[in-house]
Amino acid sequence: KLPTMKMLLSLMALLSAAQLARAAPPTCYSRVLSLSKEITESFKELQTSKAVDSCVLTLPRLYLDIHNYCVLAKLRDFVAYPRCDTVLEVNELKEKARSLYTILISYCRRDLVFLTDDCNALEIPI
């Protein structure tokens, strides 16, 4: 009975550790990475949507790479873009971009490492 009990306790400890690993809060890096991907995908969908206002075609490109220091300027330019204020989808996208910018410069400022500052790389996505 004792080996069975040890095996059962070991299994319970393993399951409990796995549960805690899944419940861990997101890191600053993982939050920024997922939000940047979400914004990039939303921008692509907005550009290809047929029921979108013509001003959307004039929006600055929004390919984001959080490892590129130029992403900060890219986000600032996008949020400050004066056109398309009447398009709800664009306003929502600008709000997400503003949130990402705030997270990058405030909350994650010391946690992130920028690997490049190649602004052209953000204009022509791979």
Side-chain angles (χ1 to χ4, degrees), residues 18-35:
Q19 188 78 7
L20 286 174
R22 273 186 272 138
T27 63
C28 214
Y29 176 76
S30 66
R31 177 66 183 131
V32 166
L33 188 61
S34 67
L35 187 54

Side-chain angles (χ1 to χ4, degrees), residues 1 5 17 20 26 37 39 41 53 56 58 61 69 77 84-85 93 97 104-105 107-108:
K1 273 191 165 185
M5 184 63 99
L20 286 174
K37 287 180 181 178
I39 291 169
E41 287 304 312
D53 195 285
V56 171
T58 66
R61 279 194 166 187
Y69 184 75
D77 291 347
C84 300
D85 286 339
L93 197 56
L104 283 169
I105 65 166
Y107 304 111
C108 298

Side-chain angles (χ1 to χ4, degrees), residues 12-24:
M12 287 175 54
L14 184 63
L15 288 174
S16 145
Q19 188 78 7
L20 286 174
R22 273 186 272 138

Side-chain angles (χ1 to χ4, degrees), residues 83-119:
R83 297 191 60 200
C84 300
D85 286 339
T86 59
V87 180
L88 179 65
E89 293 86 356
V90 173
N91 286 333
E92 289 172 354
L93 197 56
K94 283 184 176 184
E95 215 31 63
K96 285 182 186 179
R98 187 176 289 111
S99 294
L100 178 59
Y101 182 80
T102 302
I103 292 169
L104 283 169
I105 65 166
S106 298
Y107 304 111
C108 298
R109 187 169 37 119
R110 292 186 180 98
D111 296 345
L112 297 177
V113 175
F114 295 107
L115 304 176
T116 183
D117 61 351
D118 181 6
C119 296

Side-chain angles (χ1 to χ4, degrees), residues 63-75:
Y63 168 70
L64 303 177
D65 175 7
I66 61 161
H67 303 103
N68 187 333
Y69 184 75
C70 292
V71 75
L72 297 173
K74 174 67 84 174
L75 288 166

